[in-house]
Each structure stands twice: as C-alpha cells, then as structure tokens.
Amino acid sequence: MSLFDQFLIIAAVICSFSGCASVSMDRAVEAETVSAVSESEYSDSDNPVEGTIYFEYDKYNLSASAVSEIRALANSIKSSSSKVRIEGHCDERGTREYNLALGEKRANAVSELLQVNGVSSNSITTVSYGEEKPVAYGSNESSWSKNRRAVVKVL
Amino acid sequence: MIYRISALLLLIFSSLLTSGLRIEITEGIKDPIRIAIVPIVWNLENPPREYLHEIISSDLESFGEFESLSPKEMLSLPKTDKEIFYRDWKLLDVDYLVLGSALQGEVAGEVVVNFSLFNVTRERLMKRSISTGTTFYLNALAHVISDRIYNEINGLPGIFSTKISYINKNNSSDEKYFLRVADIDGRNDSNIFSSTEPLMSPDWSSDGRRLAYVSFEEGTSRIFIQEIYTGKRKSLKREKGINSSPNWSPSDRYLAAVLSKGGNPDIYRYDLEKDTWKQLTKHFGIDTEPDWSPDGKKIIFTSNRSGTPQIYEITISNGKIRRKTFEGTYNARARYTPDGRSFVFVHRRDELFHIAVQSLRTAKLQILTDTRLDESPTISPNGKVIIYATKEKEKDILAGISIDGQTRFILPTNSGGVREPNWSPLLVSTSN
C-alpha cells in the first residue's frame, strides 16, 4: 500500500468519525428543544437493561418518550431479573447541594416508573451525584443537555 | 552539592506552583487608606531573608482597603518615635505609619517584634504592641501584626491569619477530587483528603480545627468530619438517600445537614455527643443548604416548596418557618453574615447566577457580582469580604468581592478546577 493510499484511508476514517459526531450533535440540540428525549440509543452500552434518560432544566418530570423508554427498560430488567442502579445528574447551573437534591428527584422519577411497570423495589438502588459527575464540560446548552440525565446501570 | 541545589530549586518551584490562590484585585476602592510600613529593624544575628514589612504591606493591600507605600517612596526611614517628621508623611498623603524592631527571643528561632502604629493626620501614637513568632514561619507572625494593625484602624478583626478550604477537581473524568486548605494569602496550600469519587461541601467547625464534608467514597453520599491537623476522620451515621450539606452550629455540638431518608430532602440536626439525627423540616419539596444563625437559634435554608427555590428561615425552638426571598425564581444557598443581620446567597436574574446580599430587617436585595455562573459564597469572619466560585473561560475559579461591592478580585490558578470555597473562622485572637 502506497503512502498516499494510507493517507486516503486515514482521511476517510476521520471524515466518517467527524460525520458521526456532527449527526449526534444535531440530535443533542434537538433533544433540548423537544425536552427530555431519551437518548439511550446513542449510549455506549448495548445492554437492553441500561439506558440514559434526559431531563429539562430544573425539572424532574418525564417526557412521553422517556416513559416509553423506561417501560422497555422495565421489561428487560424483569425478564433478565437484573439489579440496577439509577444515577441522577444535573447540569452545572444553580447551586451544588440543590442540584444534589434535584438529581435524586430525577433518579427517583425513573425508579418509580420502573416499579409501576413491575420492577421490584429490591432490584433498584438510586444515587444522586448532582452536578459532580458531568459527561460534557462546556458552559453551554449542548453540554448542559447531556448532563441533565438519569443513568440506569446494571449491577 | 548539585543534588542539594536541585532539591532546593524543586522546593522553591513546587511552593511557587502550589501557591496558586493569589488574590488579584480587579477593581479597587477609589480612596484606599494609605499606610507606610517602615522596614522593620532587625536586631538579630541572622535576620531572615524575607522582609516582614513586605508581607504586612501585601496583607493589608490584599482586599483593596489599603494602599501601602514602598520604602523607595519614603522620605525618611525613622527607627524611633522621635525620628518621625509628620510633615514628610503628610506630604506623601500617608494616613497611618508603622515602625518596628525585631529582637531575638529567649528560645532559638524565636523572634519578638515590637511595633508602633501612628495616626499621621492627628500626629499621634495609636498603639504599641508586641508579637512573638519564629523565623521559620515569618508569615504567621506578619499576619498577626497585620491583623492587629487592621483591627486598630478599622475596629474589626483582621482576617490575614485565616485559611480557606476548597474542592479541587480538574475537568476530565479520570482526575481525582481533592479537599484542600490554604492560608488566605495562598501559601501553605495543602491536601486534606483526596478521592476518586466526588467530595463536596466542606464546612469549618467554629473552633477552626475540623472540617465537615461530603464524600462519595462508599458509592453514595456520606458526611465525614476530619481533624485538620491530625488527619483523624470520623463519619456520621449514614442514612438511606442523600446525606449532604453539613453545617456546624456555633457551639460545634450540632451539625445541620440534609437527609432524604423520608422520601425527599429535609433539614436535620445531628447531635455530635449523642450520635443521633433529629428532623427539623418536613415537606415533600426539596429542603437543603442549611446555615446556622450566629446566635444558634435559627437556620436559614433553601426550599422549593413554593415551586421555585427560595430562602426560608426556621426558628429551631418552635419550628416556625418564614419565607425570606420573593424577588426572582431562583434564590439559594444562603449564608448569614457574622452580625446575623443579613444573608448572602445565589440569585438568578436573566438566566445568570449572581451573588446577592439581602437584609433580614428591610428585605432589600442587592446583587453584588457581575460574573455569570456564581455559587458557593463564603463570608470572611469579620463580615467584610465574600469569596465565591465562578467560571472564567470555562474554568472553575474563585473570585471575591467586598460586601459593600466596591472591591472585586479573582484568585487565579493555572489549572482551574477550584470550587466550593469555605472561609475559616478567626484562628488566632486579634485582640491584644
């Protein structure tokens, strides 16, 4: 393989990566306007009992799509009899301790809906991290919308 | 020999690097008090290389209230009262003058500083004082002298011997969380505790010897108390859900804190003698961020019981709760001023978060800061200065403002990631 061929391949790979990045970025922007859209389909995990639910600023109510996402999660959790941990998170705006409380409300909202859909409370633990564990570090809506989330993880 | 030199250089460089939190005034008062600290006369065999008058001058200038004259500008360097020509100092617009001399103490390394403070306008001696310290740690001695000068001129305790605790975490997921304590001038910046999981909400005990804070090292939040000088740690009984926002009572017997074991975050009181929790508020909304009033009778806190976060105050003896803020839709994390007459808090206006102050009597709200993502205000023990956390170019930094809004400063660091400042109480007595 010539040097030029290698360059072409590398360039193609970079282009495809950056292409992906811009697509998911657009979707993130959409998510903030549509409000609390579940984005678990973009999460790293392929495990059907894991997912991420997104929230509106300073809110802990669930959107319609989050509700259907959580219902699907509930079915997977029940059929695999998994134990899950729900982490509640916030964006950086506002005070840290208030955000810790807000993060718990988010985790609890997801936990309650899982229970309504038949998941035993014994299989769920919740923890709030408030704004202490962001996934995006910018001080802008595109970072904030990624950080306002509840993450369901299998234990 | 080369090893020794490089070790010495390393020591110098590392101390330069760690002393990150230097105060940089960005906006001073128009008419600061002008003071001249004449270089201290050293009657010692081995005078230290650091200059006491320079540390005192920089202390007094640090919050913008004073402007000090450099020795180069002085027309004379008097050693005794008799050598003072007030006319010279008036010519230089000096308000106050300090002379001093240092003697060898009784023990090796001990220094005794005699100093005198003069009011130039009135042409008279205000105070003579003696301070004892060591040559190994000249800064501490200088801070005590600065505190006394400040106290004599302003009638308030000086804050130059105080410390600040803060949380340090850099913006990447693999960085650790550090709980650190530094002198208020940025020196002696040292690590108290570190963890790969979040650390939050440090709060000094009223005796200045312990820090309460929240650690997630066990996977969920738990409140810990750590002795600063021995490193000894103890944890409070952990309850289900959130364990957060520890705040010492003025007597150090209790901690106010937040637990959500009842299904939602409420304010509780932990009795450190009995190791028991007592619930103080009960509401289905969020109650959090408690702070004890200086007289220990009330607790101010944040609650969203009205639909948005607002400031409330509870009288502990009868459980009566009163709402304190009505302006705006986000008012949170209030801290009483040391006189108990006002509180400083986070206020949102036009989607930006600022530090504001409100009088408890008149309920008048005044926004103090013009930065945008401000939080965690902490007030100096003399009530004059506020340090808070904010963002500059997407970095977490500390900034400050005088409570009258006239002086603004920042505490820049190279790395950023500095947040949750908490000012210590007075650590040495400034009266004499």
Side-chain angles (χ1 to χ4, degrees):
Chain A
M1 202 190 291
S2 78
L3 205 61
F4 182 66
D5 285 347
Q6 282 184 31
F7 169 75
L8 277 186
I9 290 166
I10 291 166
V13 168
I14 290 170
C15 287
S16 64
F17 270 135
S18 56
C20 281
S22 70
V23 169
S24 63
M25 186 70 89
D26 291 344
R27 284 187 176 174
V29 172
E30 251 172 54
E32 84 197 34
T33 49
V34 173
S35 89
V37 170
S38 161
E39 291 185 42
S40 59
E41 60 201 279
Y42 320 121
S43 80
D44 299 332
S45 168
D46 289 330
N47 192 331
V49 302
E50 300 199 326
T52 304
I53 313 295
Y54 293 88
F55 292 83
E56 276 187 277
Y57 172 51
D58 206 16
K59 295 277 189 313
Y60 45 89
N61 53 321
L62 298 163
S63 68
S65 59
V67 169
S68 58
E69 168 74 15
I70 294 164
R71 276 198 194 120
L73 279 173
N75 290 333
S76 315
I77 293 166
K78 279 185 291 182
S79 61
S80 61
S81 26
S82 313
K83 283 187 183 297
V84 292
R85 174 176 151 110
I86 307 167
E87 298 175 357
H89 299 272
C90 302
D91 71 35
E92 64 176 349
R93 290 173 295 170
T95 63
R96 289 180 180 275
E97 284 99 350
Y98 188 80
N99 281 339
L100 197 64
L102 187 61
E104 185 179 67
K105 293 275 185 194
R106 287 176 178 165
N108 286 346
V110 175
S111 169
E112 277 156 24
L113 192 60
L114 286 176
Q115 289 176 53
V116 165
N117 285 282
V119 178
S120 154
S121 63
N122 296 330
S123 353
I124 306 170
T125 54
T126 57
V127 61
S128 174
Y129 285 113
E131 59 174 286
E132 308 303 314
K133 287 195 165 187
V135 287
Y137 293 96
S139 290
N140 48 55
E141 181 54 34
S142 116
S143 289
W144 293 334
S145 61
K146 294 185 185 81
N147 291 331
R148 294 191 299 266
R149 69 205 194 277
V151 183
V152 181
K153 287 182 176 169
V154 66
L155 283 178
Chain B
M1 185 63 190
I2 288 170
Y3 273 121
R4 248 192 240 170
I5 291 171
S6 52
L8 188 71
L9 283 177
L10 195 69
L11 202 70
I12 292 167
F13 278 121
S14 60
S15 69
L16 284 176
L17 287 175
T18 52
S19 60
L21 292 175
R22 283 297 165 88
I23 293 166
E24 242 179 66
I25 303 270
T26 52
E27 199 179 313
I29 58 174
K30 281 196 201 86
D31 201 10
I33 299 167
R34 277 173 67 83
I35 192 164
I37 318 285
V38 177
I40 304 292
V41 181
W42 286 94
N43 301 311
L44 285 181
E45 275 178 37
N46 296 307
R49 279 178 309 168
E50 269 188 297
Y51 293 115
L52 214 48
H53 69 272
E54 284 182 358
I55 309 171
I56 298 168
S57 294
S58 89
D59 275 354
L60 291 169
E61 284 187 333
S62 53
F63 300 106
E65 283 172 273
F66 287 84
E67 183 180 28
S68 69
L69 209 68
S70 111
K72 282 182 221 153
E73 300 170 82
M74 296 176 189
L75 300 174
S76 57
L77 299 174
K79 291 188 174 66
T80 63
D81 302 20
K82 284 176 192 154
E83 294 174 25
I84 300 172
F85 291 99
Y86 283 108
R87 211 182 32 201
D88 288 356
W89 300 101
K90 283 180 183 169
L91 206 66
L92 296 166
D93 281 328
V94 168
D95 303 305
Y96 298 95
L97 174 68
V98 175
L99 306 185
S101 60
L103 299 165
Q104 179 73 54
E106 285 170 22
V107 204
E110 192 184 53
V111 190
V112 180
V113 177
N114 287 279
F115 67 93
S116 312
L117 170 67
F118 300 89
N119 183 320
V120 172
T121 320
R122 293 187 182 176
E123 299 194 8
R124 66 177 180 90
L125 172 75
M126 290 177 76
K127 186 173 192 64
R128 267 191 225 290
S129 190
I130 299 173
S131 287
T132 307
T134 75
T135 46
F136 309 119
Y137 190 31
L138 211 60
N139 287 292
L141 176 59
H143 297 331
V144 169
I145 296 171
S146 306
D147 284 341
R148 291 190 177 167
I149 293 169
Y150 185 94
N151 183 230
E152 194 59 32
I153 294 174
N154 282 345
L156 286 169
I159 48 176
F160 308 109
S161 306
T162 59
K163 293 176 186 286
I164 193 160
S165 69
Y166 64 97
I167 302 291
N168 183 209
K169 162 75 166 74
N170 288 323
N171 280 354
S172 68
S173 53
D174 55 350
E175 291 283 347
K176 274 181 149 184
Y177 298 76
F178 297 93
L179 169 61
R180 300 181 68 85
V181 167
D183 292 354
I184 201 65
D185 66 357
R187 293 181 202 235
N188 296 313
D189 195 336
S190 50
N191 195 41
I192 300 296
F193 189 73
S194 67
S195 173
T196 52
E197 292 300 314
L199 299 174
M200 284 180 77
S201 313
D203 188 60
W204 290 85
S205 61
S206 308
D207 68 7
R209 306 179 70 83
R210 289 164 287 172
L211 281 171
Y213 59 93
V214 174
S215 170
F216 283 75
E217 66 200 68
E218 296 169 353
T220 57
S221 54
R222 184 168 193 172
I223 297 168
F224 288 81
I225 293 172
Q226 188 166 331
E227 289 182 12
I228 293 158
Y229 302 101
T230 65
K232 224 169 88 186
R233 271 177 116 215
K234 85 169 227 172
S235 55
L236 268 53
K237 208 170 109 196
R238 191 177 72 201
E239 302 290 345
K240 189 176 178 292
I242 290 173
N243 293 244
S244 79
S245 293
N247 184 267
W248 296 84
S249 72
S251 67
D252 283 343
R253 158 112 190 233
Y254 304 105
L255 280 171
V258 173
L259 301 178
S260 63
K261 62 174 179 175
N264 51 72
D266 285 310
I267 311 294
Y268 287 72
R269 185 181 78 178
Y270 192 80
D271 186 328
L272 287 158
E273 281 172 22
K274 295 180 182 160
D275 281 318
T276 51
W277 289 106
K278 185 187 180 211
Q279 186 164 5
L280 298 181
T281 70
K282 193 172 171 57
H283 193 276
F284 57 82
I286 294 169
D287 291 348
T288 186
E289 302 170 339
D291 184 47
W292 291 81
S293 65
D295 66 6
K297 291 177 180 163
K298 292 175 178 175
I299 288 174
I300 204 163
F301 64 99
T302 310
S303 177
N304 73 343
R305 57 186 64 199
S306 70
T308 59
Q310 299 291 342
I311 306 297
Y312 293 77
E313 193 180 49
I314 180 170
T315 305
I316 297 163
S317 60
N318 60 17
K320 208 175 262 179
I321 294 172
R322 280 227 162 90
R323 182 170 166 179
K324 291 291 159 188
T325 50
F326 295 91
E327 215 172 301
T329 53
Y330 199 110
N331 293 300
R333 203 187 171 281
R335 290 291 178 266
Y336 286 103
T337 54
D339 62 11
R341 289 187 201 148
S342 346
F343 58 94
V344 169
F345 59 109
V346 176
H347 173 75
R348 183 177 66 196
R349 180 165 293 180
D350 301 333
E351 293 308 307
L352 300 179
F353 293 84
H354 300 294
I355 306 300
V357 63
Q358 185 171 317
S359 153
L360 280 160
R361 198 173 54 82
T362 66
K364 189 175 163 269
L365 181 151
Q366 189 197 347
I367 294 177
L368 294 173
T369 59
D370 51 13
T371 33
R372 325 154 44 94
L373 278 166
D374 306 341
E375 59 179 317
S376 310
T378 181
I379 309 165
S380 67
N382 67 359
K384 289 282 276 185
V385 189
I386 298 162
I387 289 180
Y388 61 96
T390 188
K391 288 249 169 182
E392 193 187 58
K393 298 186 187 104
E394 307 231 325
K395 277 183 177 177
D396 291 321
I397 66 154
L398 302 186
I401 189 159
S402 59
I403 200 141
D404 60 15
Q406 290 196 51
T407 306
R408 289 161 203 271
F409 58 93
I410 51 169
L411 295 96
T413 57
N414 298 329
S415 56
V418 178
R419 64 203 199 195
E420 294 200 79
N422 188 249
W423 212 314
S424 78
L426 295 174
L427 299 171
V428 294
S429 167
T430 49
S431 58
N432 36 306

